[in-house]
Structures are given as C-alpha cells and as structure tokens.
C-alpha cells in the first residue's frame, strides 16, 4: 500500500490532556476531507521515557493513518484496561479520533 500524500496546507488541532498523572499535548493534522493524517504527542516533561514513547508512537500512528489503516483497526489493537479504557496516551488519542466519549 502506498502512502497518501498530506496536503501542503492543513488544519491542525491541539489538545492538552493529563493521563496517569503525566501532561501531554496532542496535535492532529487532517486531510482535506477531515480524516486524520498525522498526529503529534509531546509529554510535559522533556527527556522522560513517557515523552520518548509518546513521540515515537505518534510517528507510527501517523504512518498507519497515511497508509490507509482505519482508526477503528488501530483502536482495537491497542492496550486497554478491563473496562475498555485506554492504557496509554496513544490509545487515548486514538479513542478521541474515533469519537469515543470521555477521551482527550
């Protein structure tokens, strides 16, 4: 599958969240039709493992989206609590992209 090129100019949304006592900034860029095209995640504390994992996860999530993987497919593949809540910040962001209530 080939990578879908991102528009040169695209909207970008930014949301600040706290997940498991760590502050994160989520950024989402979209294709012209509204589909998510790229994501960015940064942790409030620079250099901590949570920041590294979140940034790398955002890169991988962006590549999945640009190669046509459905948000729901990604959502169901991520780690969840017994009640279905996301365990990590990537899951929190993906739930938000899927329009799941109670997320970012």
């Amino acid at each position: 599958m080939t990578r879908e090129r991102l528009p040169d100019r695209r909207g970008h949304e930014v949301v600040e969240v706290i997940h498991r006592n760590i502050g994160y900034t989520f950024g989402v860029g979209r294709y012209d039709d509204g589909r998510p095209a790229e994501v960015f995640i940064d942790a409030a504390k620079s250099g901590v493992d949570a920041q590294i994992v979140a940034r790398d996860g955002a890169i991988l999530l962006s590549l999945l989206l640009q190669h046509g993987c459905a948000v729901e497919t990604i959502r169901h593949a991520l780690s969840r609590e017994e009640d279905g809540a996301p365990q990590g910040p990537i899951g929190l962001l993906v739930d938000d992209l899927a329009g799941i209530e109670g997320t970012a």
Side-chain angles (χ1 to χ4, degrees):
M1 183 171 275
T2 60
R3 185 174 177 191
E4 186 174 352
R5 187 178 187 290
L6 281 71
D8 292 333
R9 295 193 172 266
R10 55 196 171 274
H12 187 82
E13 307 155 27
V14 176
V15 177
E16 306 255 338
V17 300
I18 296 178
H19 184 68
R20 296 187 178 216
N21 297 320
I22 299 174
Y24 294 96
T25 302
F26 294 164
V28 178
R30 297 185 180 274
Y31 289 110
D32 292 336
D33 64 4
R35 290 176 296 131
E38 63 183 351
V39 297
F40 302 91
I41 302 177
D42 200 7
K45 288 189 175 183
S46 183
V48 297
D49 289 346
Q51 181 190 43
I52 296 163
V53 171
R55 284 182 173 180
D56 286 351
I59 291 166
L60 295 172
L61 177 55
S62 293
L63 288 169
L64 284 168
L65 293 169
Q66 292 165 25
H67 281 85
C69 191
V71 171
E72 278 301 315
T73 300
I74 299 166
R75 185 174 174 275
H76 288 291
L78 296 173
S79 299
R80 303 238 160 232
E81 301 290 348
E82 286 185 26
D83 66 358
Q87 287 186 326
I90 298 289
L92 191 66
L93 177 55
V94 171
D95 277 8
D96 186 57
L97 294 176
I100 307 300
E101 294 285 326
T103 58

